[in-house]
Amino acid sequence: MSKKNEPWLSAAEALKRMNQVRSAVDGARPFLVQAAVFGRMQACTIVELRAAMVNPFQGVSRGGRPVIVALRSSEPTAMLTLDQAIAATEALAASTGEGVPFLAGSSEQSFQLCDIRPTKGGADDYFKVVTRGGVSVVYAMQTIPRKD
């Protein structure tokens, strides 16, 4: 388990949040990652990467510590569902350990803190956030996670 003073969600904490959200919304809902433009979301994959030994937010080509990252897809890809994101995170946590950081990233070289939250996506466009209406989506929001 992640220590309370670590700023990131551990894989176990991320899975707990995903399962809490799944109990409130359908597991077939899209799992997205926050885009660089506030209010927009992008499709993502859940991958294991190696982070620098000193800086867990910077990727390295080899060595380093393992991290699990909700990584923005740079090319068109099938959208992950919440159930698929949970399954991918569980598989990676089983091989790397449940205490590894769970982060969000725009590339394999740059990751950020994230929190897992449900929100409403545009009715015609899952990738645009709307304030009311729309459909439920779950996303990795690039922000300091709440540690409850």
Side-chain angles (χ1 to χ4, degrees), residues 49-62:
L49 297 172
R50 293 281 170 172
M53 292 301 284
V54 177
N55 182 358
F57 306 112
Q58 181 179 355
V60 295
S61 58
R62 57 181 96 122

Side-chain angles (χ1 to χ4, degrees), residues 29-103:
R29 293 294 178 201
F31 184 85
L32 306 169
V33 67
Q34 181 179 344
V37 177
F38 182 76
R40 301 257 179 204
M41 296 176 271
Q42 290 181 283
C44 67
T45 57
I46 308 285
V47 296
E48 175 193 345
L49 297 172
R50 293 281 170 172
M53 292 301 284
V54 177
N55 182 358
F57 306 112
Q58 181 179 355
V60 295
S61 58
R62 57 181 96 122
R65 67 187 291 180
V67 293
I68 297 174
V69 181
L71 186 64
R72 284 187 226 146
S73 298
S74 58
E75 53 191 56
T77 183
M79 198 171 359
L80 276 182
T81 65
L82 177 57
D83 285 339
Q84 291 169 329
I86 290 171
T89 304
E90 284 174 340
L92 291 171
S95 66
T96 60
E98 292 186 344
V100 300
F102 184 92
L103 305 167

